[in-house]
Amino acid sequence: MKQVTGAVCTRCGHIVAADPDITVCPKCGGILDIQYDYDYIRSHVSKYDLLDRADPTMWRYLEFLPVEGLGTRPRLRVGGSPLYRADALARRLGIDTLWIKDDGLNPTASLKDRASAMAVVKAEEAGRSVIACSSTGNAASSLAGNAAAAGLSTYIFVPSRAPKGKVAQLLMFGATVVLVEGSYEDTFRLSAEAIDRWGWYNRNAAINPYLMEGKKTVSLEIAEQLQFRMPDYVALSVGDGCTIAGVWKGFRDLFEAGFIDRLPRLISVQASGCCPINTAAAAHTMDWTPQEENTIADSIAVGVPRNPVKALRAIEESHGVTVNVSDEEILAAMRMLGRYAGVFAEPAGAAGSAGLKKAVEQGLIEKNASVVSIVTGNGLKDVNNAIRAAGEPIAIPADMDCLLKAFDERGISPA
Ligand SMILES: *Cc1c(COP(=O)(O)O)cnc(C)c1O
Ligand SMILES: [Zn+2]
């Protein structure tokens, strides 16, 4: 991996060689961050080369990724998700220019596929055939799917509150699924113990530094889809903090390589019922405090974030904006994304857009700003909350009089 110079510890600064089996700092146990040789990258690929590539997947950015090659196993088509210009939604939100990056259109329907595809390649490099993770749901379903395609087996730990759709995905992909009674924190702890005990490859995103490198491809795509002209802001939801850290890393890589000439500011969105990272970020401190997990947005219900350091640094370095949103605001954003953009988001997938709306209302960002809002997960994963957001359909017997009456009662005039 000539493009990779090593991995630096985010806690003590110790530098180690990048090895798929070294996933935490050998000195202090801190989280590692992969480092690149941007001169090397610049001399091997230009932004025009990228624009010309045929591969539509995240692997089109190979020079920016910490892999030797792609292995020999079959892979799902991860990445290449659409970036929609969303004018009608922009008008609703009260801003000039809005794009929706719909990452719910990945193979297992969330942005997590970018990390899991990377985990599978790294497990293969490390010569392992069993991968494990704990997750609020999507990391698990994406790992199970990407591993199934590659013929690897998976052990998955999820909190028992995980929505049915995500659990169904796990079972369908043949994972050994353990539903843990308790919080995400409890689930994480049990998975860590089991991983230690049986020596499985560890996909836990905060611990394994390669996963963020997969997630950063969403930023490389956004930049490329905008012909490398950066928006003012990028909005997304935050749980453990790996996604926002990855998003920031992607933009910074492009900046360091000279592919873009300015960096967007991040809009970090959490649920008001669970916002430890935003609380610390707003106080400009690295000292975060655990919180309860009170939100319908299960994917970001993370009371004890696993990657607070990288996330807080990303928010700070980008001069980021923090916004917390209520469940009502998330449900409203789900309705708006569906109705005005044709995009179906799960609660955590819509939270970024809910936060964007609130940031405009509170004057935290300018009305003439250009913004990319990332939809991180698809609404079909959590149909119960979708119905809660959108309401029930008209239910009647198969009879025209009943239809006329129902339309009349609801003030619908079809003609
Ligand atoms: C995991 C996830 C997030 C948050 O990512 P973190 O790395 O935990 O901060 C947001 N939305 C969805 C749909 C997710 O699955
Ligand atoms: Zn260290």
Side-chain angles (χ1 to χ4, degrees), residues 110-149:
S110 82
L111 187 149
K112 296 286 196 299
D113 277 333
R114 298 178 186 273
S116 291
M118 176 64 76
V120 167
V121 170
K122 295 314 277 187
E124 196 184 348
E125 266 179 27
R128 312 288 265 288
S129 57
V130 182
I131 318 181
C133 86
S134 76
S135 153
T136 55
N138 286 333
S141 50
S142 71
L143 178 64
N146 283 276

mmCIF file of all heavy atoms in Angstrom, residues 110-149:
data_model
loop_
_atom_site.group_PDB
_atom_site.id
_atom_site.type_symbol
_atom_site.label_atom_id
_atom_site.label_comp_id
_atom_site.label_asym_id
_atom_site.label_seq_id
_atom_site.Cartn_x
_atom_site.Cartn_y
_atom_site.Cartn_z
ATOM 1 N N SER A 110 -28.089 1.099 3.452
ATOM 2 C CA SER A 110 -27.570 2.174 4.301
ATOM 3 C C SER A 110 -26.126 2.497 3.919
ATOM 4 O O SER A 110 -25.461 1.734 3.217
ATOM 5 C CB SER A 110 -27.644 1.818 5.789
ATOM 6 O OG SER A 110 -26.548 1.010 6.167
ATOM 7 N N LEU A 111 -25.679 3.651 4.413
ATOM 8 C CA LEU A 111 -24.296 4.091 4.180
ATOM 9 C C LEU A 111 -23.290 3.108 4.764
ATOM 10 O O LEU A 111 -22.142 3.035 4.324
ATOM 11 C CB LEU A 111 -24.116 5.487 4.790
ATOM 12 C CG LEU A 111 -22.817 6.253 4.548
ATOM 13 C CD1 LEU A 111 -23.089 7.765 4.518
ATOM 14 C CD2 LEU A 111 -21.738 5.971 5.585
ATOM 15 N N LYS A 112 -23.717 2.329 5.765
ATOM 16 C CA LYS A 112 -22.834 1.369 6.427
ATOM 17 C C LYS A 112 -22.227 0.353 5.456
ATOM 18 O O LYS A 112 -21.216 -0.258 5.768
ATOM 19 C CB LYS A 112 -23.592 0.607 7.520
ATOM 20 C CG LYS A 112 -24.084 1.447 8.673
ATOM 21 C CD LYS A 112 -22.957 1.871 9.604
ATOM 22 C CE LYS A 112 -23.465 2.371 10.936
ATOM 23 N NZ LYS A 112 -24.341 3.556 10.830
ATOM 24 N N ASP A 113 -22.862 0.154 4.296
ATOM 25 C CA ASP A 113 -22.291 -0.770 3.314
ATOM 26 C C ASP A 113 -20.873 -0.364 2.927
ATOM 27 O O ASP A 113 -20.043 -1.216 2.609
ATOM 28 C CB ASP A 113 -23.161 -0.815 2.052
ATOM 29 C CG ASP A 113 -24.349 -1.767 2.195
ATOM 30 O OD1 ASP A 113 -24.251 -2.725 2.973
ATOM 31 O OD2 ASP A 113 -25.367 -1.534 1.517
ATOM 32 N N ARG A 114 -20.602 0.930 2.939
ATOM 33 C CA ARG A 114 -19.263 1.396 2.547
ATOM 34 C C ARG A 114 -18.212 0.891 3.541
ATOM 35 O O ARG A 114 -17.095 0.551 3.161
ATOM 36 C CB ARG A 114 -19.240 2.931 2.486
ATOM 37 C CG ARG A 114 -20.190 3.515 1.446
ATOM 38 C CD ARG A 114 -20.161 5.037 1.468
ATOM 39 N NE ARG A 114 -21.168 5.604 0.581
ATOM 40 C CZ ARG A 114 -20.973 5.835 -0.723
ATOM 41 N NH1 ARG A 114 -19.809 5.580 -1.278
ATOM 42 N NH2 ARG A 114 -21.943 6.345 -1.455
ATOM 43 N N ALA A 115 -18.573 0.863 4.813
ATOM 44 C CA ALA A 115 -17.661 0.374 5.845
ATOM 45 C C ALA A 115 -17.571 -1.146 5.815
ATOM 46 O O ALA A 115 -16.486 -1.727 5.948
ATOM 47 C CB ALA A 115 -18.128 0.846 7.215
ATOM 48 N N SER A 116 -18.712 -1.795 5.634
ATOM 49 C CA SER A 116 -18.720 -3.261 5.672
ATOM 50 C C SER A 116 -18.006 -3.860 4.475
ATOM 51 O O SER A 116 -17.339 -4.897 4.593
ATOM 52 C CB SER A 116 -20.152 -3.772 5.752
ATOM 53 O OG SER A 116 -20.692 -3.439 7.010
ATOM 54 N N ALA A 117 -18.132 -3.220 3.312
ATOM 55 C CA ALA A 117 -17.411 -3.706 2.126
ATOM 56 C C ALA A 117 -15.909 -3.657 2.414
ATOM 57 O O ALA A 117 -15.162 -4.571 2.056
ATOM 58 C CB ALA A 117 -17.761 -2.850 0.916
ATOM 59 N N MET A 118 -15.481 -2.593 3.086
ATOM 60 C CA MET A 118 -14.070 -2.453 3.466
ATOM 61 C C MET A 118 -13.690 -3.545 4.479
ATOM 62 O O MET A 118 -12.633 -4.170 4.377
ATOM 63 C CB MET A 118 -13.846 -1.059 4.064
ATOM 64 C CG MET A 118 -12.462 -0.812 4.575
ATOM 65 S SD MET A 118 -11.200 -0.843 3.285
ATOM 66 C CE MET A 118 -11.468 0.742 2.516
ATOM 67 N N ALA A 119 -14.572 -3.782 5.463
ATOM 68 C CA ALA A 119 -14.282 -4.793 6.494
ATOM 69 C C ALA A 119 -14.064 -6.162 5.873
ATOM 70 O O ALA A 119 -13.171 -6.907 6.291
ATOM 71 C CB ALA A 119 -15.437 -4.862 7.501
ATOM 72 N N VAL A 120 -14.861 -6.481 4.868
ATOM 73 C CA VAL A 120 -14.749 -7.793 4.235
ATOM 74 C C VAL A 120 -13.403 -7.916 3.510
ATOM 75 O O VAL A 120 -12.714 -8.932 3.626
ATOM 76 C CB VAL A 120 -15.944 -8.029 3.272
ATOM 77 C CG1 VAL A 120 -15.693 -9.229 2.371
ATOM 78 C CG2 VAL A 120 -17.226 -8.227 4.073
ATOM 79 N N VAL A 121 -13.003 -6.859 2.800
ATOM 80 C CA VAL A 121 -11.712 -6.889 2.101
ATOM 81 C C VAL A 121 -10.564 -7.003 3.111
ATOM 82 O O VAL A 121 -9.614 -7.772 2.913
ATOM 83 C CB VAL A 121 -11.547 -5.640 1.196
ATOM 84 C CG1 VAL A 121 -10.124 -5.552 0.662
ATOM 85 C CG2 VAL A 121 -12.542 -5.681 0.045
ATOM 86 N N LYS A 122 -10.652 -6.264 4.231
ATOM 87 C CA LYS A 122 -9.574 -6.314 5.232
ATOM 88 C C LYS A 122 -9.543 -7.675 5.943
ATOM 89 O O LYS A 122 -8.468 -8.183 6.268
ATOM 90 C CB LYS A 122 -9.715 -5.186 6.264
ATOM 91 C CG LYS A 122 -9.550 -3.785 5.726
ATOM 92 C CD LYS A 122 -8.356 -3.591 4.811
ATOM 93 C CE LYS A 122 -7.052 -3.361 5.519
ATOM 94 N NZ LYS A 122 -5.965 -3.003 4.555
ATOM 95 N N ALA A 123 -10.697 -8.256 6.204
ATOM 96 C CA ALA A 123 -10.730 -9.581 6.834
ATOM 97 C C ALA A 123 -10.064 -10.592 5.914
ATOM 98 O O ALA A 123 -9.287 -11.452 6.352
ATOM 99 C CB ALA A 123 -12.175 -9.995 7.133
ATOM 100 N N GLU A 124 -10.348 -10.454 4.628
ATOM 101 C CA GLU A 124 -9.749 -11.360 3.644
ATOM 102 C C GLU A 124 -8.227 -11.178 3.623
ATOM 103 O O GLU A 124 -7.476 -12.158 3.614
ATOM 104 C CB GLU A 124 -10.368 -11.100 2.269
ATOM 105 C CG GLU A 124 -10.104 -12.227 1.284
ATOM 106 C CD GLU A 124 -10.625 -11.931 -0.126
ATOM 107 O OE1 GLU A 124 -11.384 -10.960 -0.309
ATOM 108 O OE2 GLU A 124 -10.224 -12.680 -1.038
ATOM 109 N N GLU A 125 -7.778 -9.910 3.646
ATOM 110 C CA GLU A 125 -6.331 -9.633 3.699
ATOM 111 C C GLU A 125 -5.695 -10.264 4.929
ATOM 112 O O GLU A 125 -4.565 -10.748 4.891
ATOM 113 C CB GLU A 125 -6.078 -8.117 3.783
ATOM 114 C CG GLU A 125 -5.854 -7.439 2.455
ATOM 115 C CD GLU A 125 -5.627 -5.935 2.618
ATOM 116 O OE1 GLU A 125 -5.142 -5.479 3.689
ATOM 117 O OE2 GLU A 125 -5.946 -5.208 1.667
ATOM 118 N N ALA A 126 -6.424 -10.228 6.046
ATOM 119 C CA ALA A 126 -5.896 -10.768 7.297
ATOM 120 C C ALA A 126 -6.055 -12.287 7.359
ATOM 121 O O ALA A 126 -5.699 -12.909 8.369
ATOM 122 C CB ALA A 126 -6.593 -10.110 8.493
ATOM 123 N N GLY A 127 -6.603 -12.869 6.308
ATOM 124 C CA GLY A 127 -6.746 -14.324 6.231
ATOM 125 C C GLY A 127 -7.825 -14.881 7.147
ATOM 126 O O GLY A 127 -7.745 -16.014 7.599
ATOM 127 N N ARG A 128 -8.854 -14.081 7.422
ATOM 128 C CA ARG A 128 -9.908 -14.520 8.345
ATOM 129 C C ARG A 128 -11.188 -14.822 7.585
ATOM 130 O O ARG A 128 -11.468 -14.212 6.548
ATOM 131 C CB ARG A 128 -10.191 -13.418 9.365
ATOM 132 C CG ARG A 128 -8.935 -12.856 9.974
ATOM 133 C CD ARG A 128 -8.299 -13.849 10.929
ATOM 134 N NE ARG A 128 -8.759 -13.547 12.250
ATOM 135 C CZ ARG A 128 -8.355 -12.476 12.917
ATOM 136 N NH1 ARG A 128 -7.493 -11.647 12.382
ATOM 137 N NH2 ARG A 128 -8.814 -12.226 14.105
ATOM 138 N N SER A 129 -11.967 -15.749 8.122
ATOM 139 C CA SER A 129 -13.210 -16.081 7.432
ATOM 140 C C SER A 129 -14.444 -15.862 8.300
ATOM 141 O O SER A 129 -15.560 -16.122 7.879
ATOM 142 C CB SER A 129 -13.168 -17.525 6.940
ATOM 143 O OG SER A 129 -12.938 -18.376 8.037
ATOM 144 N N VAL A 130 -14.214 -15.388 9.545
ATOM 145 C CA VAL A 130 -15.357 -15.082 10.416
ATOM 146 C C VAL A 130 -15.226 -13.626 10.875
ATOM 147 O O VAL A 130 -14.173 -13.206 11.356
ATOM 148 C CB VAL A 130 -15.389 -15.995 11.663
ATOM 149 C CG1 VAL A 130 -16.613 -15.685 12.513
ATOM 150 C CG2 VAL A 130 -15.374 -17.461 11.254
ATOM 151 N N ILE A 131 -16.291 -12.857 10.709
ATOM 152 C CA ILE A 131 -16.286 -11.453 11.125
ATOM 153 C C ILE A 131 -17.411 -11.255 12.131
ATOM 154 O O ILE A 131 -18.473 -11.871 12.012
ATOM 155 C CB ILE A 131 -16.525 -10.490 9.941
ATOM 156 C CG1 ILE A 131 -15.740 -10.917 8.710
ATOM 157 C CG2 ILE A 131 -16.146 -9.069 10.323
ATOM 158 C CD1 ILE A 131 -15.909 -9.988 7.521
ATOM 159 N N ALA A 132 -17.165 -10.375 13.118
ATOM 160 C CA ALA A 132 -18.211 -10.099 14.098
ATOM 161 C C ALA A 132 -18.374 -8.602 14.263
ATOM 162 O O ALA A 132 -17.445 -7.831 14.017
ATOM 163 C CB ALA A 132 -17.845 -10.708 15.447
ATOM 164 N N CYS A 133 -19.569 -8.196 14.677
ATOM 165 C CA CYS A 133 -19.733 -6.797 15.059
ATOM 166 C C CYS A 133 -20.917 -6.637 15.981
ATOM 167 O O CYS A 133 -21.802 -7.489 16.047
ATOM 168 C CB CYS A 133 -19.862 -5.885 13.844
ATOM 169 S SG CYS A 133 -21.490 -5.682 13.171
ATOM 170 N N SER A 134 -20.901 -5.519 16.693
ATOM 171 C CA SER A 134 -22.088 -5.106 17.426
ATOM 172 C C SER A 134 -22.544 -3.830 16.765
ATOM 173 O O SER A 134 -21.744 -3.082 16.230
ATOM 174 C CB SER A 134 -21.769 -4.847 18.886
ATOM 175 O OG SER A 134 -21.110 -3.617 19.006
ATOM 176 N N SER A 135 -23.849 -3.602 16.802
ATOM 177 C CA SER A 135 -24.350 -2.505 15.990
ATOM 178 C C SER A 135 -25.721 -2.112 16.468
ATOM 179 O O SER A 135 -26.431 -2.914 17.080
ATOM 180 C CB SER A 135 -24.423 -3.000 14.552
ATOM 181 O OG SER A 135 -25.403 -2.322 13.822
ATOM 182 N N THR A 136 -26.118 -0.872 16.184
ATOM 183 C CA THR A 136 -27.499 -0.481 16.422
ATOM 184 C C THR A 136 -28.406 -1.112 15.369
ATOM 185 O O THR A 136 -29.605 -1.059 15.486
ATOM 186 C CB THR A 136 -27.644 1.052 16.368
ATOM 187 O OG1 THR A 136 -27.136 1.502 15.108
ATOM 188 C CG2 THR A 136 -26.856 1.713 17.478
ATOM 189 N N GLY A 137 -27.839 -1.696 14.305
ATOM 190 C CA GLY A 137 -28.666 -2.387 13.306
ATOM 191 C C GLY A 137 -28.063 -2.385 11.918
ATOM 192 O O GLY A 137 -27.869 -3.431 11.315
ATOM 193 N N ASN A 138 -27.734 -1.197 11.401
ATOM 194 C CA ASN A 138 -27.294 -1.132 10.002
ATOM 195 C C ASN A 138 -25.876 -1.637 9.770
ATOM 196 O O ASN A 138 -25.588 -2.217 8.725
ATOM 197 C CB ASN A 138 -27.414 0.297 9.481
ATOM 198 C CG ASN A 138 -28.859 0.673 9.226
ATOM 199 O OD1 ASN A 138 -29.684 -0.198 8.952
ATOM 200 N ND2 ASN A 138 -29.168 1.952 9.334
ATOM 201 N N ALA A 139 -24.985 -1.411 10.728
ATOM 202 C CA ALA A 139 -23.630 -1.949 10.565
ATOM 203 C C ALA A 139 -23.736 -3.466 10.478
ATOM 204 O O ALA A 139 -23.049 -4.112 9.685
ATOM 205 C CB ALA A 139 -22.750 -1.543 11.737
ATOM 206 N N ALA A 140 -24.641 -4.011 11.281
ATOM 207 C CA ALA A 140 -24.840 -5.452 11.305
ATOM 208 C C ALA A 140 -25.421 -5.952 9.994
ATOM 209 O O ALA A 140 -24.879 -6.871 9.371
ATOM 210 C CB ALA A 140 -25.759 -5.811 12.466
ATOM 211 N N SER A 141 -26.518 -5.343 9.546
ATOM 212 C CA SER A 141 -27.141 -5.880 8.325
ATOM 213 C C SER A 141 -26.212 -5.710 7.134
ATOM 214 O O SER A 141 -26.159 -6.569 6.252
ATOM 215 C CB SER A 141 -28.521 -5.275 8.072
ATOM 216 O OG SER A 141 -28.491 -3.892 8.145
ATOM 217 N N SER A 142 -25.453 -4.608 7.099
ATOM 218 C CA SER A 142 -24.545 -4.431 5.965
ATOM 219 C C SER A 142 -23.390 -5.417 6.045
ATOM 220 O O SER A 142 -22.965 -5.964 5.029
ATOM 221 C CB SER A 142 -24.021 -2.997 5.898
ATOM 222 O OG SER A 142 -23.115 -2.747 6.944
ATOM 223 N N LEU A 143 -22.893 -5.690 7.242
ATOM 224 C CA LEU A 143 -21.817 -6.668 7.362
ATOM 225 C C LEU A 143 -22.314 -8.049 6.931
ATOM 226 O O LEU A 143 -21.656 -8.752 6.174
ATOM 227 C CB LEU A 143 -21.285 -6.740 8.793
ATOM 228 C CG LEU A 143 -20.178 -7.787 8.965
ATOM 229 C CD1 LEU A 143 -18.948 -7.428 8.144
ATOM 230 C CD2 LEU A 143 -19.799 -7.964 10.429
ATOM 231 N N ALA A 144 -23.501 -8.398 7.417
ATOM 232 C CA ALA A 144 -24.047 -9.715 7.075
ATOM 233 C C ALA A 144 -24.194 -9.859 5.561
ATOM 234 O O ALA A 144 -23.833 -10.891 4.988
ATOM 235 C CB ALA A 144 -25.388 -9.919 7.775
ATOM 236 N N GLY A 145 -24.701 -8.837 4.903
ATOM 237 C CA GLY A 145 -24.913 -8.896 3.448
ATOM 238 C C GLY A 145 -23.610 -8.946 2.681
ATOM 239 O O GLY A 145 -23.414 -9.797 1.800
ATOM 240 N N ASN A 146 -22.697 -8.050 3.006
ATOM 241 C CA ASN A 146 -21.419 -8.001 2.274
ATOM 242 C C ASN A 146 -20.590 -9.258 2.529
ATOM 243 O O ASN A 146 -19.897 -9.747 1.627
ATOM 244 C CB ASN A 146 -20.640 -6.737 2.636
ATOM 245 C CG ASN A 146 -21.192 -5.498 1.931
ATOM 246 O OD1 ASN A 146 -20.846 -5.215 0.788
ATOM 247 N ND2 ASN A 146 -22.097 -4.793 2.594
ATOM 248 N N ALA A 147 -20.680 -9.799 3.742
ATOM 249 C CA ALA A 147 -19.947 -11.024 4.055
ATOM 250 C C ALA A 147 -20.569 -12.215 3.331
ATOM 251 O O ALA A 147 -19.859 -13.073 2.808
ATOM 252 C CB ALA A 147 -19.938 -11.267 5.563
ATOM 253 N N ALA A 148 -21.900 -12.236 3.277
ATOM 254 C CA ALA A 148 -22.579 -13.347 2.582
ATOM 255 C C ALA A 148 -22.152 -13.391 1.115
ATOM 256 O O ALA A 148 -21.852 -14.455 0.574
ATOM 257 C CB ALA A 148 -24.090 -13.194 2.700
ATOM 258 N N ALA A 149 -22.089 -12.222 0.480
ATOM 259 C CA ALA A 149 -21.691 -12.181 -0.937
ATOM 260 C C ALA A 149 -20.290 -12.756 -1.112
ATOM 261 O O ALA A 149 -19.998 -13.413 -2.107
ATOM 262 C CB ALA A 149 -21.753 -10.744 -1.456
#
